Amino acid sequence: MRDLTSWKGCQAPGISALEGRFVRLERLSAKMHGNGLYEASTMPDAGDRFRWLPEYPPESREAFRPWLERAEASTDPLYYAIIDKATDRIAGRQTLMRIDTKNGVIEIGHIFWSSLIARKPAATEAFYLFARHIFDDLGYRRFEWKCNDRNAPSKRAAERFGMTWEGTFRQAAVVKGENRDTAWFSLLDREWPRAKKAFEAWLAPGNFDADGNQLRRLEEIRENIDAGTA
């Protein structure tokens, strides 16, 4: 276990951009990202992708403006727009939230990955860029992922990313007029080196064929790391 005798907490996140091979994360700006995020939020499948979020897809560009302004001004949650570098289009957004600098705990949340990047390397990299920043740059001890317990794809994603299920908080909230039991997942600083190694091996160009299909699954790479055969 990490010696915390001289622990003094962490810096609050605030970097303006995080750059990857597939995506770039930029602090959300209503002016810079508003139109693109509106387009991503009103794609034909937006209703399904907003199913477990606290908001509904925007009804119009003008109706979207107050949300954008609140999101830009917010520091917790701290919103980032996701730019898909293959198309140079805004593909969604995600936040760092419940920021506890004293104890070094932070959560990724309000995740909206449109069909431009969902279930693609870009989405995995969007998660990885947050994790790398909060562990390597800011020294946080714990990275959290929480979702509605009925949201099976979100729970599968957390497990795929190497996070540990910690339990379910029953009747934790009321969202969109429905009860929400919240499933909790976490990744710890001592687990990050293994997870980071797996992410970087999976995201490497050599792990994809000419059609962009993965050659090794992320879970398989972690298993090989554990077995010493990575």
Side-chain angles (χ1 to χ4, degrees):
M1 296 291 289
R2 181 175 175 182
D3 181 3
L4 299 174
T5 304
S6 58
W7 171 259
K8 298 186 184 301
C10 296
Q11 177 183 343
I15 195 168
S16 59
L18 293 166
E19 191 83 26
R21 187 163 71 93
F22 298 101
V23 296
R24 182 172 63 257
L25 308 182
E26 297 179 351
R27 283 283 302 276
L28 192 147
S29 161
K31 181 178 180 180
M32 289 178 56
H33 305 122
N35 289 339
L37 190 54
Y38 173 73
E39 291 175 5
S41 302
T42 53
M43 294 174 73
D45 63 349
D48 292 336
R49 298 197 178 278
F50 273 77
R51 171 66 179 90
W52 304 108
L53 290 168
E55 315 90 15
Y56 293 95
E59 295 180 354
S60 68
R61 179 62 178 87
E62 182 59 25
F64 194 41
R65 183 172 59 83
W67 182 92
L68 281 168
E69 292 173 349
R70 290 193 301 272
E72 180 179 20
S74 175
T75 57
D76 189 353
L78 186 66
Y79 280 85
Y80 283 80
I82 305 170
I83 293 84
D84 174 34
K85 295 176 72 170
T87 61
D88 201 33
R89 293 172 62 186
I90 295 172
R93 41 87 167 177
Q94 60 192 43
T95 73
L96 292 169
M97 59 184 289
R98 300 187 185 276
I99 301 165
D100 181 353
T101 58
K102 179 180 178 181
N103 293 298
V105 179
I106 198 165
E107 178 182 345
I108 181 172
H110 296 280
I111 298 170
F112 169 62
W113 294 336
S114 77
S115 55
L116 289 174
I117 61 170
R119 300 179 63 82
K120 296 178 181 178
T124 297
E125 188 178 63
F127 175 90
Y128 162 75
L129 289 174
F130 262 11
R132 185 183 68 181
H133 179 54
I134 69 105
F135 284 123
D136 291 352
D137 300 335
L138 301 179
Y140 278 74
R141 303 173 56 239
R142 174 181 168 89
F143 192 32
E144 296 180 337
W145 173 295
K146 303 188 186 96
C147 63
N148 192 307
D149 191 51
R150 293 185 289 151
N151 187 350
S154 184
K155 294 197 296 184
R156 285 197 299 269
E159 292 171 344
R160 176 178 174 270
F161 292 152
M163 306 191 91
T164 297
W165 178 71
E166 296 182 327
T168 301
F169 281 35
R170 300 177 300 162
Q171 295 189 186
V174 177
V175 180
K176 293 179 176 175
E178 298 178 347
N179 173 64
R180 168 171 153 154
D181 297 341
T182 299
W184 286 52
F185 297 84
S186 71
L187 183 66
L188 304 183
D189 54 355
R190 65 176 180 268
E191 300 163 341
W192 171 238
R194 166 182 175 263
K196 179 182 180 181
K197 185 176 180 180
F199 276 119
E200 293 180 348
W202 188 85
L203 290 165
N207 190 45
F208 298 91
D209 64 19
D211 296 321
N213 299 309
Q214 66 177 354
L215 301 179
R216 292 191 298 164
R217 296 179 301 111
L218 184 57
E219 301 93 329
E220 177 187 349
I221 294 172
R222 280 199 306 273
E223 290 171 1
N224 290 342
I225 290 172
D226 292 341
T229 58

